[in-house]
Amino acid sequence: MNENFFVDQIQENGGKVYIVGGWVRDQLRQIKAKDKDYVISGISEIRFCAVFPAAMKVGKSFPVYLLELDGKKCEIAFARKERKTGSGYKGFAVFYDTSVTIEEDLYRRDTTMNSIALELPGEILIDPYYGRMDIENKKIRAISDHFLEDPVRALRAARQAAQTGFSIEKETVTMMKYCRTELLYEPPARILQELTLALGSIRPSCFFRYLAEADLLAVTFPEIFALCGKTQPAAFHPEGDAFEHSMLILEEVAKKTERLEVRFSALVHDIGKGATKPDLLPHHYGHELVGREILADWNKRMQLPKIWLQCANMVISEHMRAPHLKQIGKIVDLLLLLDKNPLRVEGFNLIIEADHKGLPAYLREYSQYLQLIYMVSGMNKPENLHGSAIGVWLRQQRIFACRKMIEENRL
């Protein structure tokens, strides 16, 4: 079914169709728009189902249907109003009937740039809350006090800043602060979803900076908040404390890869510094050991993706010693570990280069090292070797091959 036919059918049954949300926002920003979401008004749910029997209902507390339009599964939601009745994201009474207008539906949304609609056909702009002006001024602004009713909207505003590079206006930052208490009781999965989207944005550090400005970082990501104020030796870290350093490394890495597991690893590479006792500052001896424990506690509170944990644990453990390795045996061992980790040497190198402002020779030439290492296999082992002795022999031969190549100036 194409969009025009869908719109015609809704209109013939007394309804109206609007495109809403991110697609409209991105069109106005003149960037590639993603999937379209639709809102319909003026038609009952019973009538809609009769006209579109293939539509599949997915909304539980209010009507949302999936319907294939122009070859894509699209969300079709009924215009609705909401009233706060309790705490959290479930504490809402939802109202939807044929009398609810698009303006009322847009009013319940979070920020003005997400509260614009295009009426079909003709793509007539419906912008009752001046979202287009805020987009032009690169401002993120709450529509009304309804912003406070779902505390995760505070995280969304910070995430929108990270995705767009826009600034959040002061009154909205103040509203974000009032979300602090309820955020303590939000399901961790909702917080993780915003973190995931923020890490995939163009400026992921903006997410954490705005949460810090709104006094929300401590209740959402206490492991990152703990880095604030943890001073570092100025000669090596002119950027400031451990939080500033982590934001800097995150941004540098984000410029070079879209892989979320690498970006997350960059974010938490120095997470152990948050536990340094004040009397030891500005030094952070052994923070790589403490860092893994802190990450494990974070995972207990908020189940992190397995691949994030695998990669981050590798970076936390190895980011301090890797640039200084000289012994061929330790170099061989680390390269094999990295090659088996989903981070891979490529991801590790991005973080090490940003953190240490360069790479040691073995990491720059890692592909040649690995080629040599894997040329030595157990296939040509001495016949009298068995069990663990095979592994010892294999390691020794790989070390010998790498050392020989270095001595011959081929590595």
Side-chain angles (χ1 to χ4, degrees):
M1 181 190 312
N2 64 42
E3 182 181 84
N4 291 335
F5 179 77
F6 170 70
V7 173
D8 288 343
Q9 291 296 299
I10 293 292
Q11 287 185 325
E12 287 180 12
N13 285 274
K16 293 182 178 181
V17 179
Y18 308 88
I19 306 173
V20 296
W23 191 89
V24 182
R25 178 196 64 219
D26 292 344
Q27 285 283 94
L28 292 173
R29 293 180 62 209
Q30 297 182 336
I31 64 174
K32 186 178 180 181
K34 297 181 179 179
D35 296 337
K36 293 179 180 179
D37 292 326
Y38 298 84
V39 164
I40 56 177
S41 65
I43 182 173
S44 70
E45 186 177 3
I46 293 174
R47 187 59 189 159
F48 174 84
C49 292
V51 177
F52 304 104
M56 180 175 67
K57 189 171 185 177
V58 291
K60 294 181 180 179
S61 56
F62 52 85
V64 179
Y65 287 82
L66 288 180
L67 190 63
E68 187 170 305
L69 298 178
D70 296 323
K72 292 183 178 181
K73 289 284 186 181
C74 298
E75 282 195 1
I76 316 293
F78 283 69
R80 65 186 189 272
K81 296 187 290 185
E82 295 172 346
R83 181 169 56 83
K84 186 74 167 174
T85 58
S87 63
Y89 72 106
K90 291 185 177 180
F92 288 93
V94 181
F95 304 91
Y96 55 91
D97 60 28
T98 56
S99 68
V100 178
T101 65
I102 188 62
E103 288 80 8
E104 290 172 321
D105 182 272
L106 295 175
Y107 186 67
R108 65 173 180 79
R109 297 172 184 263
D110 50 10
T111 56
T112 59
M113 69 177 184
N114 285 336
S115 300
I116 310 170
L118 288 178
E119 184 177 351
L120 301 178
E123 295 192 351
I124 302 166
L125 192 70
I126 310 294
D127 183 19
Y129 310 111
Y130 308 103
R132 184 174 190 171
M133 183 175 67
D134 283 335
I135 289 173
E136 291 172 353
N137 293 329
K138 297 185 177 181
K139 288 285 186 182
I140 295 170
R141 186 189 310 274
I143 294 175
S144 69
D145 290 346
H146 284 297
F147 181 90
L148 299 168
E149 294 177 347
D150 181 353
V152 172
R153 286 175 178 166
L155 275 72
R156 286 185 195 149
R159 184 248 298 170
Q160 288 167 16
Q163 289 174 323
T164 61
F166 292 4
S167 61
I168 306 177
E169 60 92 28
K170 291 182 179 179
E171 288 184 9
T172 302
V173 173
T174 300
M175 286 187 185
M176 290 168 65
K177 292 182 179 182
Y178 286 109
C179 296
R180 180 184 174 94
T181 301
E182 279 200 49
L183 276 173
L184 287 167
Y185 305 101
E186 279 300 302
R190 295 192 81 206
I191 310 296
L192 177 60
Q193 182 181 17
E194 293 302 321
L195 171 62
T196 303
L197 292 169
L199 284 175
S201 68
I202 58 171
R203 292 289 307 278
S205 70
C206 288
F207 177 69
F208 302 100
R209 292 188 185 282
Y210 270 116
L211 292 182
E213 184 179 340
D215 298 327
L216 299 179
L217 194 59
V219 299
T220 51
F221 304 103
E223 299 81 5
I224 305 301
F225 175 75
L227 299 174
C228 297
K230 295 295 184 179
T231 56
Q232 305 174 110
F236 301 104
H237 296 287
E239 69 276 4
D241 64 14
F243 175 78
E244 287 298 327
H245 173 69
S246 297
M247 295 300 102
L248 175 67
I249 302 308
L250 173 59
E251 286 298 316
E252 287 296 313
V253 170
K255 290 175 185 176
K256 297 178 180 179
T257 182
E258 294 182 356
R259 293 172 59 195
L260 296 188
E261 65 273 19
V262 181
R263 291 182 174 199
F264 179 76
S265 299
L267 170 68
V268 303
H269 77 284
D270 270 348
I271 200 172
K273 290 181 177 180
T276 301
K277 294 180 179 179
D279 59 324
L280 295 177
L281 296 173
H283 302 289
H284 298 271
Y285 304 118
H287 73 273
E288 65 273 24
L289 301 176
V290 180
R292 294 188 63 159
E293 298 175 7
I294 294 174
L295 184 64
D297 289 339
W298 185 345
N299 186 53
K300 289 177 185 176
R301 185 184 82 255
M302 177 188 301
Q303 189 171 358
L304 300 167
K306 182 179 178 181
I307 191 172
W308 291 14
L309 291 172
Q310 290 174 316
C311 296
N313 275 315
M314 174 65 73
V315 171
I316 291 169
S317 299
E318 304 295 341
H319 77 281
M320 288 299 291
R321 75 182 190 109
H324 309 293
L325 288 184
K326 302 297 182 184
Q327 295 181 29
I328 302 301
K330 291 183 177 180
I331 288 173
V332 168
D333 293 341
L334 179 58
L335 287 175
L336 283 171
L337 276 175
L338 288 170
D339 198 47
K340 294 173 183 176
N341 189 282
L343 183 70
R344 307 301 292 269
V345 187
E346 298 90 339
F348 186 73
N349 277 359
L350 291 177
I351 298 169
I352 297 302
E353 186 171 22
D355 194 31
H356 294 270
K357 299 178 176 61
L359 292 172
Y362 79 91
L363 285 178
R364 287 198 306 269
E365 308 297 336
Y366 74 90
S367 58
Q368 292 176 257
Y369 274 90
L370 286 173
Q371 186 178 12
L372 269 178
I373 288 168
Y374 287 124
M375 282 176 64
V376 180
S377 70
M379 298 295 292
N380 50 357
K381 68 177 179 63
E383 292 184 2
N384 62 332
L385 288 183
H386 302 283
S388 61
I390 297 173
V392 173
W393 175 87
L394 191 61
R395 182 174 182 271
Q396 290 174 340
Q397 293 302 304
R398 286 170 167 171
I399 293 170
F400 176 76
C402 289
R403 182 178 289 118
K404 183 179 178 182
M405 291 288 282
I406 291 172
E407 291 171 353
E408 293 174 358
N409 293 319
R410 287 187 281 166
L411 273 177

